[in-house]
């Protein structure tokens, strides 16, 4: 019998996704350039309707038409290489889904390349890691609605389920799916950074040990911070290192790696002039973490911070919980603001409330906070920033003081809580009616005649500023 669904790329993600599709009653076939991967797939399939092909042409022959071919291969040149091999062998009406973390401009290019050929190309964000792929990921497909309709049933059956149904939806035109996944990852970077910052405050300023941190994060995961990232963090603090018997977290080198999706989010936000400083700070802190040797030698040159905490452990835990909530909210808010602007700029037609629904299950940034975000965007689909939403206004005003208290303690202890600080400054700037940017405008006009606007009448103005120093004069 011909298979309903094919997968190219049988690494863990590809194998798991394919087994997930098979679990839902579909016949599937997998192909990888590396024959050992086909064998692993068949070993893991155990009695399911799973086939493996050892040539690309054999793979394509095994699929019913129109063929549904998903790619889960590393983003970048490999996707283009696979497409080069694949395109001569597929036909009009077939559907190719790129499920990797491709850059949205690559997806746009590939979509346009195939647009007139009658071959459907979809860029689909897949979140949830290996376990998500196996048991239910959050799926963010983009391209065109017609293609989506052809795969909607399969995607709906394999996706994670939340109280609002399958965590998949047609996200929008061309590269909207991959753009949305990129923003998801930017938010993921910020949330992970914020958690690590609060960890440092609790550990250094609060003297919490790992067992206490486990207890605290487990308790947080039962209330308003409930989320995948808080849950796994609680688990991390419990894990022992088999070799040394120490807590594993303490044995891990403090250099955070990255594959670049957080950086792409920051780059795109800069291009679109959208402020997402909590995410930017998270990306930058990964770079700073990587400068380990320099950090170690610099540390010997400067004194370290104060070690007394002005508050009790219990008070500090309460402050950190609220600071984390505030930071998480603004990370989501900044990411969604970017998505809102990008959607308009690139004609994606993204429904933000629907994106929030898709993120409620299966993905790395899933949390109960998304219920309130969904409410805010359902009430106002044109909401630019969550700061102006009545759903969040009282929450953010109440939490501000606790965030400031955590920052003060961090500064005294020389702890770099860059993402949390960026969140507070973003909030303060975004809720201030007069920023000192008037002075920047004056300076620009002074040295470059760049002109300025006035507060009392419309127009652009230039001033011959008095007592201009002569360049080069002492
Ligand atoms: C997901 C994740 C995933 C990402 C990893 C690693 O949604 O399942 O975002 O796609 O690749 O989190 O990302 P970094 O290596 O950049 O940290």
């Amino acid at each position: 019998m011909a298979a309903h669904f094919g997968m190219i790329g049988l690494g863990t993600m590809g194998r798991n996704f394919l087994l997930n599709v098979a679990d839902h009653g579909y016949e599937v076939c997998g192909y990888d350039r590396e024959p050992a991967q086909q064998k692993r797939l068949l070993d893991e399939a155990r009695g399911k309707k799973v086939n493996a092909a050892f040539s690309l042409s054999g793979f394509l022959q095994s699929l019913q038409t129109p063929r549904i071919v998903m790619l889960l291969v590393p983003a970048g040149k490999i996707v283009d290489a696979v497409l080069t091999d694949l395109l001569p062998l597929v036909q009009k009406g077939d559907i190719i889904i790129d499920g990797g973390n491709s850059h949205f401009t690559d997806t746009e290019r590939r979509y346009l390349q195939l647009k007139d050929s009658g071959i459907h190309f979809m860029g689909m964000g897949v979140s949830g890691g290996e376990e998500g792929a196996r048991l239910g990921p959050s799926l963010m497909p983009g391209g065109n609605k017609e293609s989506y309709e052809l795969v909607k049933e399969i995607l709906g059956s394999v996706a994670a389920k939340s109280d609002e149904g399958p965590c998949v939806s047609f996200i929008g035109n061309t590269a909207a799916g991959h753009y949305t996944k990129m923003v998801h990852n930017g938010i993921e970077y910020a949330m992970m950074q914020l958690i690590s910052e609060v960890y440092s405050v609790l550990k250094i300023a609060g003297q919490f040990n790992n067992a206490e941190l486990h207890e605290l994060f487990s308790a947080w995961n039962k209330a308003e911070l409930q989320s995948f990232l808080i849950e796994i963090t609680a688990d991390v603090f419990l894990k022992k290192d088999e070799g040394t018997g120490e807590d594993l977290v303490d044995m891990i080198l403090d250099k955070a790696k990255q594959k670049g999706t957080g950086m792409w989010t920051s780059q795109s936000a800069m291009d679109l002039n959208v402020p997402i400083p909590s995410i930017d700070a998270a990306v930058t802190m990964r770079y700073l973490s990587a400068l380990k040797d320099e950090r170690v030698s610099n540390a010997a040159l400067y004194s370290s911070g104060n070690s007394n905490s002005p508050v009790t452990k219990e008070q500090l835990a309460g402050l950190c919980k609220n600071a984390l909530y505030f930071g998480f909210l603004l990370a989501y808010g900044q990411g969604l603001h970017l998505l809102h602007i990008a959607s308009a700029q690139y004609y994606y037609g993204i429904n933000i409330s629907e994106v929030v629904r898709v993120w409620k299950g299966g993905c790395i940034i899933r949390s109960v906070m998304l219920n309130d975000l969904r409410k805010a965007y359902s009430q106002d689909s044109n909401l630019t920033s969550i700061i102006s939403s009545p759903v969040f206004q009282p929450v953010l005003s109440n939490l501000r003081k606790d965030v400031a208290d955590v920052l003060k303690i961090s500064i005294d202890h020389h702890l770099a809580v860059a993402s949390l600080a960026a969140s507070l400054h973003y909030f303060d700037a975004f809720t201030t009616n007069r920023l000192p940017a008037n002075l920047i405008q004056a300076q620009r006009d002074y040295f470059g005649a760049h002109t300025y606007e006035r507060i009392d009448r419309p127009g652009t103005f230039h001033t011959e500023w008095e007592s201009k120093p002569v360049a080069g004069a002492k």
Side-chain angles (χ1 to χ4, degrees):
M1 206 182 107
H4 303 104
F5 187 91
M7 176 70 73
I8 297 182
L10 299 178
T12 315
M13 286 294 287
R15 285 200 315 279
N16 282 0
F17 197 99
L18 202 58
L19 293 170
N20 184 357
V21 178
D23 278 345
H24 289 86
Y26 297 98
E27 183 140 340
V28 304
C29 184
Y31 170 74
D32 196 289
R33 290 220 309 222
E34 190 55 63
Q37 299 291 58
Q38 270 87 324
K39 202 180 155 315
R40 291 183 75 174
L41 172 69
L42 294 174
D43 287 348
E44 287 169 22
R46 279 181 245 113
K48 294 188 186 32
K49 291 182 191 160
V50 175
N51 305 309
F54 288 83
S55 71
L56 191 54
S57 58
F59 166 74
L60 291 164
Q61 274 161 24
S62 77
L63 299 176
Q64 67 177 36
T65 54
R67 300 180 183 92
I68 303 174
V69 178
M70 181 160 160
L71 273 49
L72 265 171
V73 299
K77 288 196 174 75
I78 297 182
V79 175
D80 286 316
V82 172
L83 288 176
T84 304
D85 292 345
L86 187 61
L87 291 179
L89 303 175
V90 291
Q91 63 197 40
K92 204 168 165 190
D94 288 349
I95 303 140
I96 301 174
I97 306 170
D98 173 14
N101 275 333
S102 290
H103 194 274
F104 70 97
T105 53
D106 284 337
T107 301
E108 170 118 12
R109 168 176 58 79
R110 292 167 188 145
Y111 176 87
L112 293 176
Q113 184 194 338
L114 288 178
K115 191 167 169 278
D116 298 325
S117 68
I119 296 164
H120 302 272
F121 182 77
M122 305 182 72
M124 180 167 81
V126 177
S127 178
E130 295 172 3
E131 190 177 309
R134 184 68 189 85
L135 301 173
S138 169
L139 299 174
M140 293 151 254
N144 65 57
K145 196 77 201 291
E146 192 196 337
S147 317
Y148 177 67
E149 291 302 325
L150 302 169
V151 292
K152 187 176 167 182
E153 196 187 299
I154 296 187
L155 297 184
S157 64
V158 300
K161 310 290 179 296
S162 79
D163 60 340
E164 292 195 85
C167 297
V168 58
S169 187
F170 177 64
I171 299 291
N173 305 315
T174 64
H178 274 150
Y179 195 93
T180 300
K181 176 63 194 340
M182 177 190 78
V183 171
H184 164 286
N185 281 26
I187 297 170
E188 171 186 307
Y189 274 51
M191 290 173 77
M192 291 169 74
Q193 175 63 26
L194 288 160
I195 293 173
S196 77
E197 291 173 2
V198 160
Y199 157 59
S200 76
V201 175
L202 290 165
K203 184 180 154 102
I204 313 282
Q207 301 285 303
F208 278 73
N209 64 33
N210 291 329
E212 290 167 327
L213 288 167
H214 165 75
E215 290 300 323
L216 188 60
F217 275 74
S218 302
W220 286 355
N221 196 44
K222 293 195 181 80
E224 61 268 38
L225 280 176
Q226 191 192 332
S227 56
F228 172 73
L229 285 168
I230 294 288
E231 183 189 332
I232 63 163
T233 307
D235 283 354
V236 164
F237 291 122
L238 267 194
K239 190 79 181 166
K240 292 284 176 201
D241 176 30
E242 282 177 13
T244 61
E246 299 291 327
D247 291 343
L248 181 56
V249 68
D250 294 330
M251 302 305 293
I252 296 178
L253 186 66
D254 53 330
K255 282 165 96 167
K257 303 268 167 81
Q258 55 188 312
K259 292 193 205 74
T261 46
M263 176 189 72
W264 292 348
T265 312
S266 288
Q267 286 173 332
S268 178
M270 290 280 172
D271 284 343
L272 295 171
N273 297 2
V274 182
I276 57 160
S278 308
I279 296 172
D280 299 337
V283 177
T284 295
M285 287 306 288
R286 288 207 189 184
Y287 299 142
L288 265 160
S289 81
L291 300 175
K292 173 80 179 176
D293 294 345
E294 291 90 330
R295 287 193 286 113
V296 170
S297 52
N298 290 340
L301 304 176
Y302 295 90
S303 64
S304 54
N306 171 6
S307 58
N308 309 316
S309 176
V311 294
T312 64
K313 273 175 110 157
E314 202 181 9
Q315 286 166 332
L316 187 65
L319 293 174
C320 284
K321 178 175 124 204
N322 287 345
L324 206 46
Y325 190 86
F326 182 95
F328 277 7
L329 258 189
L330 291 180
Y332 284 125
Q334 291 168 26
L336 294 174
H337 183 185
L338 174 60
L339 208 51
H340 179 83
I341 301 293
S343 178
Q345 179 76 19
Y346 303 134
Y347 305 103
Y348 286 153
I350 296 174
N351 175 340
I352 306 268
S353 166
E354 191 58 5
V355 168
V356 171
R357 187 190 71 72
V358 166
W359 287 349
K360 280 179 58 171
C363 70
I364 305 294
I365 64 170
R366 63 187 187 258
S367 77
V368 290
M369 296 169 78
L370 290 164
N371 289 323
D372 281 343
L373 285 157
R374 175 118 164 104
K375 200 196 292 172
Y377 281 93
S378 305
Q379 277 173 11
D380 177 3
S381 59
N382 278 320
L383 186 65
T384 318
S385 162
I386 63 159
I387 290 180
S388 62
S389 165
V391 175
F392 294 112
Q393 188 270 328
V395 186
L396 291 167
S397 355
N398 284 342
L399 296 180
R400 191 197 174 284
K401 188 186 169 304
D402 289 358
V403 181
D405 283 346
V406 173
L407 284 182
K408 286 176 206 159
I409 294 168
S410 316
I411 290 166
D412 279 347
H413 286 80
H414 297 207
L415 299 173
V417 293
S419 216
L420 188 62
S423 305
L424 187 67
H425 297 319
Y426 169 84
F427 176 75
D428 284 347
F430 224 170
T431 54
T432 294
N433 56 17
R434 188 157 167 87
L435 286 171
N438 51 325
L439 186 57
I440 295 171
Q441 282 297 79
Q443 291 162 337
R444 291 178 71 247
D445 190 56
Y446 195 126
F447 63 66
H450 295 298
T451 74
Y452 55 89
E453 292 172 285
R454 297 180 54 92
I455 60 168
D456 55 351
R457 55 184 195 272
T460 47
F461 300 87
H462 168 62
T463 294
E464 283 304 319
W465 296 86
E466 298 294 318
S467 61
K468 199 173 186 171
V470 179
K474 292 241 162 92

